[in-house]
Amino acid sequence: MKRNNFSAVNKAVPTSPVVKQPKRGLCTSLTQTHMLSVLLDWGTLPHHVILHIFQYLPLIDRARASSVCRRWNEVFHIPDLWRKFEFELNQSATSYFKSTHPDLIQQIIKKHAAHLQYVSFKVDSSAESAEAACDILSQLVNCSIQTLGLISTAKPSFMNVPKSHFVSALTVVFVNSKSLSSIKIEDTPVDDPSLKILVANNSDTLRLLKMSSCPHVSSDGILCVADHCQGLRELALNYYILSDELLLALSSETHVNLEHLRIDIVSENPGQIKFHSIKKHSWDALIKHSPGVNVVMYFFLYEEEFEAFFKEETPVTHLYFGRSVSRTILGRIGLNCPRLIELVVCANGLQPLDSELIRIAEHCKNLTALGLSECEVSCSAFIEFVRLCGRRLTQLSIMEEVLVPDDNYTPDEVHAEVSKHLGRVWFPDVMPVW
């Protein structure tokens, strides 16, 4: 009934130009008054509330918001908002990420260089982008940076910059900061003299140093860091720099316990087959001093280059093989790597790894993660491996092509047995997930 009455009213009062409409000017005035009221409310927010909001905004949105009113612009320049900044530098024709605007870079250098504490430079593969990063570094003379990262989205980038230009720019930060705690300068032309400058000005604060693939750094340069930076907890370097002297320096009584040592073992040139060995007593000294240290090794070698490794006990905890590795080396790992926690084998060839995996399960009592890609393992041996490791295997990434059927199991039957021993549902991967 109500519905019908409503319909009747609509019919009785047809839409017509004669019907009086509110004056347009009045509507506009009301709208403007409402907007002004809202703007006044937002504009009178306390500084700390606006600052909290700004901290969640992307830089471009924060910059736009700063033009709303004078109060918001003042908050935009509060030092707390400029402690962390990532400079993105690229040549637009060759890069997928947006570059930091030059005007903003100059504003940061003029107004906020002294506020910067956590700074990174993300550059593309071009020398021009790397040189632009060096130009900015050379202007940070009034800085107190604690974290510095130089990130190349693709090689060679910084390696294409003249060494003198790069080192000169980097030492500006090393000299002026005096509070550097974390430095990531991998794939750069940094050298021994610049590391000595780093140590001379930041020895009391340096905690993390990542500098793999830095061909101008020698073992003497790293040894200088280890000798003087007693608080160093994380270190990443290439194997050719690793030495017995360095491990003993990291094991001195005055040095804090090292937490993470990453070592990249890479063929310098195709056909290189000679690598030095690290003595067992040097590894023992490190583990005695830092019993909880993670020793991570990334191998990118050809099979004939492995001769120097794992002949005696090695305290490695995480092993990654990016190229084919022989059954012999995997057998050595089972015998000489009792601290092993994670093992990833990207390729092995066509020889089943049955006995090698079972030996690793029997001797590596801390193993919790395994990844296998282009390898072969019989279904029965794989199930036995999982049975020996049990539920401590928290990560198990095996491509389905790895499993070879035998008299006892087919690949389709493996998942049920493995799931039983793991205590959770498990299936082989179509693609590796490491």
Side-chain angles (χ1 to χ4, degrees):
M1 187 67 183
K2 290 181 180 179
R3 204 171 187 182
N4 292 335
N5 287 341
F6 180 72
S7 179
V9 171
N10 284 341
K11 290 178 180 178
V13 188
T15 302
S16 169
V18 179
V19 177
K20 290 185 178 181
Q21 302 289 337
K23 291 184 179 179
R24 187 178 183 85
L26 180 60
C27 281
T28 304
S29 176
L30 289 172
T31 302
Q32 289 177 342
T33 302
H34 176 70
M35 290 179 64
L36 180 61
S37 175
V38 171
L39 184 60
L40 288 174
D41 289 341
W42 282 96
T44 55
L45 284 173
H47 266 63
H48 72 276
V49 174
I50 303 173
L51 176 62
H52 190 70
I53 295 171
F54 273 29
Q55 287 173 334
Y56 286 94
L57 293 177
L59 178 62
I60 186 66
D61 294 334
R62 197 190 308 162
R64 288 169 179 162
S66 70
S67 63
V68 168
C69 62
R70 180 178 298 175
R71 187 180 184 85
W72 285 23
N73 187 262
E74 290 173 356
V75 175
F76 179 71
H77 292 289
I78 288 178
D80 285 349
L81 288 175
W82 299 98
R83 301 200 189 284
K84 183 177 181 179
F85 193 83
E86 180 179 80
F87 294 93
E88 297 187 359
L89 307 167
N90 69 86
Q91 305 303 303
S92 57
T94 61
S95 181
Y96 63 88
F97 61 89
K98 191 173 181 180
S99 188
T100 306
H101 197 281
D103 291 345
L104 178 58
I105 292 174
Q106 288 307 309
Q107 186 181 68
I108 293 170
I109 291 173
K110 290 179 181 179
K111 292 187 176 182
H112 303 294
H115 307 143
L116 294 173
Q117 292 184 359
Y118 312 98
V119 182
S120 62
F121 291 82
K122 183 187 289 184
V123 303
D124 60 14
S125 60
S126 66
E128 292 82 359
S129 298
E131 287 175 355
C134 291
D135 291 338
I136 297 171
L137 284 169
S138 64
Q139 297 179 68
L140 299 180
V141 292
N142 298 315
C143 62
S144 56
I145 295 174
Q146 297 178 20
T147 297
L148 175 65
L150 304 182
I151 304 164
S152 299
T153 58
K155 294 181 180 181
S157 192
F158 287 103
M159 294 305 297
N160 271 351
V161 176
K163 178 171 169 287
S164 59
H165 183 200
F166 177 83
V167 169
S168 175
L170 191 63
T171 52
V172 168
V173 178
F174 286 176
V175 168
N176 290 283
S177 287
K178 302 187 185 304
S179 58
L180 282 165
S181 173
S182 173
I183 305 175
K184 300 177 182 179
I185 46 176
E186 299 173 307
D187 295 299
T188 67
V190 63
D191 59 9
D192 288 354
S194 55
L195 287 183
K196 291 180 180 179
I197 295 173
L198 167 68
V199 168
N201 293 276
N202 302 271
S203 61
D204 293 336
T205 58
L206 190 63
R207 299 290 180 268
L208 180 151
L209 179 61
K210 291 187 175 182
M211 48 186 315
S212 297
S213 301
C214 296
H216 301 293
V217 173
S218 71
S219 56
D220 290 338
I222 297 292
L223 190 57
C224 175
V225 174
D227 280 336
H228 294 89
C229 299
Q230 305 298 330
L232 190 67
R233 291 183 176 272
E234 296 189 37
L235 179 63
L237 71 167
N238 281 82
Y239 184 80
Y240 73 88
I241 299 178
L242 190 68
S243 65
D244 294 291
E245 292 78 13
L246 174 59
L247 291 178
L248 293 174
L250 293 170
S251 308
S252 65
E253 292 182 3
T254 55
H255 206 287
V256 299
N257 293 337
L258 196 66
E259 295 177 352
H260 194 90
L261 175 62
R262 171 183 156 177
I263 306 161
D264 291 351
I265 304 98
V266 182
S267 296
E268 291 297 317
N269 299 291
Q272 176 181 340
I273 59 174
K274 189 173 180 59
F275 285 85
H276 65 283
S277 297
I278 301 296
K279 295 183 175 62
K280 184 178 181 299
H281 76 83
S282 302
W283 285 122
D284 290 344
L286 177 68
I287 300 307
K288 181 179 180 181
H289 180 263
S290 304
V293 63
N294 286 320
V295 179
V296 183
M297 289 185 171
Y298 285 84
F299 281 90
F300 295 91
L301 302 182
Y302 298 99
E303 286 194 19
E304 64 271 15
E305 297 175 312
F306 279 98
E307 183 57 31
F309 301 98
F310 309 118
K311 287 186 173 180
E312 53 187 1
E313 189 170 301
T314 307
V316 62
T317 55
H318 298 73
L319 267 176
Y320 304 92
F321 293 99
R323 292 179 186 161
S324 180
V325 57
S326 69
R327 291 179 61 191
T328 301
I329 296 300
L330 292 175
R332 291 184 193 173
I333 290 169
L335 293 176
N336 295 317
C337 299
R339 300 179 76 242
L340 190 63
I341 295 172
E342 182 172 3
L343 173 65
V344 173
V345 180
C346 292
N348 166 258
L350 300 177
Q351 295 179 312
L353 303 178
D354 295 6
S355 59
E356 288 74 21
L357 277 184
I358 291 173
R359 181 182 296 171
I360 288 172
E362 290 173 339
H363 292 87
C364 302
K365 300 298 185 181
N366 297 315
L367 188 71
T368 61
L370 176 70
L372 299 177
S373 182
E374 298 179 16
C375 311
E376 286 193 355
V377 182
S378 72
C379 292
S380 294
F382 179 64
I383 291 172
E384 177 63 10
F385 167 83
V386 176
R387 186 191 69 80
L388 289 168
C389 292
R391 299 191 179 190
R392 75 168 188 262
L393 277 177
T394 56
Q395 296 181 36
L396 189 60
S397 178
I398 311 296
M399 288 185 67
E400 56 187 1
E401 292 86 356
V402 168
L403 299 173
V404 179
D406 53 34
D407 295 337
N408 298 317
Y409 298 97
T410 66
D412 291 336
E413 297 170 325
V414 168
H415 75 89
E417 285 295 314
V418 171
S419 298
K420 180 180 68 176
H421 294 303
L422 292 179
R424 65 180 188 275
V425 177
W426 178 88
F427 286 95
D429 300 311
V430 176
M431 292 294 291
V433 295
W434 56 81

